[in-house]
């Protein structure tokens, strides 16, 4: 590359201007793309959540209670609470919790019935190992339906009744913790 | 060189993964199924072609001393555009590629081609270089993804041909879709290709 200005202020100014211009153009481009995609991405996430909730408590209408609860070392954060109603009567709640699994955070929806049983659970996104922890998105998770929602669930290895995924105890514990956290929260609503 | 010769060079004799052995990290990490492999390959190819074109067009404008910073900024911008677009329009693919999509930024094939080719050549040849190298990368991913999905999950084309694909093996070796299986598949494919190539040269 031929350099007319060798060293000194001129060269440094040139470097700054060129890099600054490239960065500015890239930033403007990204801003424009984000404008287009952001609403669509939010819509997709809402669609995934709605589909999960409709599967867990069928036939109900969901109202966003717009509540979140920050997590700590032992309890995962709650990122959304939805009240399920049929004909104006509360039949249960769907809670979005984010327990930590083997490969990062799992985002899951837990349904709790008004009668104090687990309606069901569904893992919406995860970073678990394919073939092992990723099975948390299979039929395996259906076993939670009908279990007591009193925050006492545990995998068989820990003396509980939940059959863990073979080779993915950490994931199974995370899902169980998610269900318990949701159950405790709904119990606290009274 | 004609396009066909370029294509043969990018896919076989100078394949970025099998012959140049660059870009191995995404090759190992994202080839757990055929659909992931195709998704990653196509996404990386789009970024590669776009960044090659832009970097080639700007090659006289970018000062030598800050070229790496400028290249990375341009590549990162394209990767983010692809990432956002996939999340918006093909969310299932974005979910399964996960973290590896933003990590295309550090895929050394892309920076490597920018540095070794696009910064020294005109726009059209750079675009062609991007296409053939991208196809070579995709070819390698597809080969790995096919073998690992077949042996590790027992299916072909899960997520492409219906939700579950075609189930061929009822008791698959799960290890093949774990990281160790990635290394195993890569080793055997490398060995087989080297053998085939060596055989051709002898004749």
């Amino acid at each position: 590359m031929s350099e007319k200005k060798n060293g000194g202020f001129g060269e440094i100014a040139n470097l700054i201007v060129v890099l600054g211009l490239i960065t500015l153009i890239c930033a403007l481009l990204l801003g424009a793309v984000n404008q287009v995609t952001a609403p669509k991405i939010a819509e997709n996430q809402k669609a995934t959540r709605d589909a999960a909730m409709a599967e867990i408590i069928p036939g109900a209408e969901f109202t966003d209670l717009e509540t979140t609860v920050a997590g700590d070392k032992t309890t995962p954060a709650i990122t959304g609470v939805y009240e399920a109603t049929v004909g104006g009567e509360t039949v249960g709640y769907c809670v979005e919790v984010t327990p930590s699994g083997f490969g990062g955070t799992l985002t899951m929806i837990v349904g709790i019935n008004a009668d104090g049983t687990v309606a069901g659970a569904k893992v919406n996104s995860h970073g678990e190992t394919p073939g092992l922890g990723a099975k948390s998105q299979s039929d395996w998770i259906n076993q939670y339906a009908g279990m007591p929602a009193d925050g006492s669930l545990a995998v068989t290895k820990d003396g509980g009744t939940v059959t863990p995924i073979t080779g993915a105890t950490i994931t199974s514990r995370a899902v169980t913790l998610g269900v318990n956290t949701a159950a405790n929260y709904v119990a606290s609503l009274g | 060189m004609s396009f066909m010769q370029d294509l043969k060079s990018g896919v076989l004799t100078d394949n970025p993964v099998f012959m140049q052995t660059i870009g191995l990290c995404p090759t190992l990490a994202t080839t757990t199924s055929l659909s992931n492999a195709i998704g990653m390959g196509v996404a990386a190819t789009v970024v590669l072609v776009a960044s090659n074109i832009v970097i080639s067009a700007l090659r006289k404008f970018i000062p030598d001393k800050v070229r790496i910073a400028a290249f990375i900024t341009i590549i990162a911008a394209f990767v983010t555009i692809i990432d956002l677009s996939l999340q918006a329009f093909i969310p299932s693919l974005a979910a399964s590629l996960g973290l590896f999509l933003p990590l295309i930024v550090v895929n050394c094939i892309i920076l490597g081609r920018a540095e070794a080719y696009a910064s020294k050549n005109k726009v059209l040849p750079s675009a062609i270089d991007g296409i053939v190298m991208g196809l070579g990368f995709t070819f390698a991913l597809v080969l790995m993804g096919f073998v690992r999905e077949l042996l590790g999950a027992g299916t072909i084309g899960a997520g492409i041909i219906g939700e579950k694909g075609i189930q061929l093996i009822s008791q698959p070796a799960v290890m093949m879709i774990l990281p160790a299986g990635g290394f195993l598949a890569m080793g055997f494919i490398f060995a087989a290709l080297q053998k085939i190539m060596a055989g051709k040269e002898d004749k």
Side-chain angles (χ1 to χ4, degrees):
Chain A
M1 230 169 240
S2 64
E3 299 225 347
K4 279 178 216 162
K5 299 160 199 157
N6 224 341
F9 182 72
E11 194 203 352
I12 292 175
N14 183 38
L15 297 184
I16 294 172
V17 169
V18 170
L19 261 190
L21 266 180
I22 290 173
T23 321
L24 182 71
I25 294 169
C26 287
L28 287 176
L29 201 60
L30 288 183
V33 172
N34 189 42
Q35 281 290 318
V36 178
T37 53
K40 188 82 185 138
I41 292 171
E43 205 176 287
N44 286 341
Q45 285 168 345
K46 190 176 175 299
T48 319
R49 194 170 57 220
D50 289 351
M53 293 198 299
E55 202 175 300
I56 292 167
I57 307 182
E61 272 181 48
F62 295 94
T63 332
D64 192 347
L65 297 183
E66 289 176 8
T67 328
T68 56
V69 181
D72 57 33
K73 274 181 190 163
T74 48
T75 26
I78 292 171
T79 50
V81 182
Y82 304 86
E83 185 174 9
T85 51
V86 175
E89 200 173 318
T90 305
V91 293
Y93 293 89
C94 276
V95 183
E96 191 178 60
V97 282
T98 55
S100 292
F102 186 71
T105 309
L106 290 93
T107 306
M108 53 185 284
I109 298 275
V110 183
I112 307 290
N113 288 324
D115 65 2
T117 55
V118 177
K122 201 165 163 61
V123 176
N124 278 344
S125 74
H126 68 87
E128 305 304 290
T129 318
L132 294 172
K135 282 189 185 156
S136 59
Q137 283 190 313
S138 69
D139 294 344
W140 168 83
I141 204 155
N142 295 344
Q143 65 173 306
Y144 287 96
M147 286 187 178
D150 53 6
S152 69
L153 297 181
V155 294
T156 46
K157 227 177 196 174
D158 301 332
T161 49
V162 176
T163 313
I165 303 166
T166 312
T169 311
I170 294 175
T171 311
S172 313
R173 279 191 185 128
V175 173
T176 308
L177 179 64
V179 173
N180 282 341
T181 307
N184 286 337
Y185 179 77
V186 171
S188 75
L189 289 174
Chain B
M1 271 207 292
S2 72
F3 180 74
M4 283 317 288
Q5 278 172 311
D6 281 335
L7 191 64
K8 187 176 167 238
S9 142
V11 174
L12 293 171
T13 50
D14 204 19
N15 185 295
V17 174
F18 295 131
M19 296 301 148
Q20 302 178 43
T21 55
I22 53 175
L24 297 187
C25 174
T27 308
L28 288 166
T30 61
T31 53
T32 52
S33 73
L34 194 56
S35 71
N36 278 3
I38 293 173
M40 183 68 184
V42 171
T45 305
V46 172
V47 173
L48 186 56
V49 173
S51 69
N52 261 11
I53 290 173
V54 171
I55 286 165
S56 169
L58 294 176
R59 71 187 186 283
K60 295 206 173 95
F61 175 68
I62 298 171
D64 221 17
K65 283 187 180 167
V66 290
R67 65 182 194 285
I68 301 288
F71 295 169
I72 284 290
T73 311
I74 293 166
I75 294 167
F78 280 119
V79 169
T80 313
I81 291 172
I82 301 272
D83 188 16
L84 290 175
S85 310
L86 278 185
Q87 281 185 41
F89 302 111
I90 321 177
S92 59
L93 185 60
S96 65
L97 291 177
L99 184 64
F100 296 106
L101 206 48
L103 280 179
I104 295 177
V105 176
V106 288
N107 185 326
C108 49
I109 294 176
I110 294 166
L111 185 61
R113 293 325 287 179
E115 170 78 9
Y117 199 90
S119 64
K120 299 186 183 85
N121 289 282
K122 288 191 179 133
V123 174
L124 189 63
S126 297
I128 291 172
D129 180 71
I131 293 170
V132 295
M133 284 296 155
L135 287 177
F137 181 56
T138 311
F139 169 70
L141 291 184
V142 164
L143 206 56
M144 290 272 294
F146 176 77
V147 170
R148 290 181 68 189
E149 185 186 336
L150 179 62
L151 298 179
T155 58
I156 291 177
I160 305 173
I161 316 162
E163 184 75 13
K164 292 235 162 76
I166 304 165
Q167 187 83 31
L168 286 182
I169 302 169
S170 55
Q171 288 280 321
V174 177
M175 188 185 73
M176 287 310 287
I177 51 175
L178 299 180
F183 283 104
L184 279 174
M186 181 178 265
F188 281 111
I189 292 175
F190 264 51
L193 280 180
Q194 295 288 354
K195 176 77 187 159
I196 294 167
M197 291 296 184
K200 269 186 183 167
E201 272 165 26
D202 287 345
K203 275 170 196 168

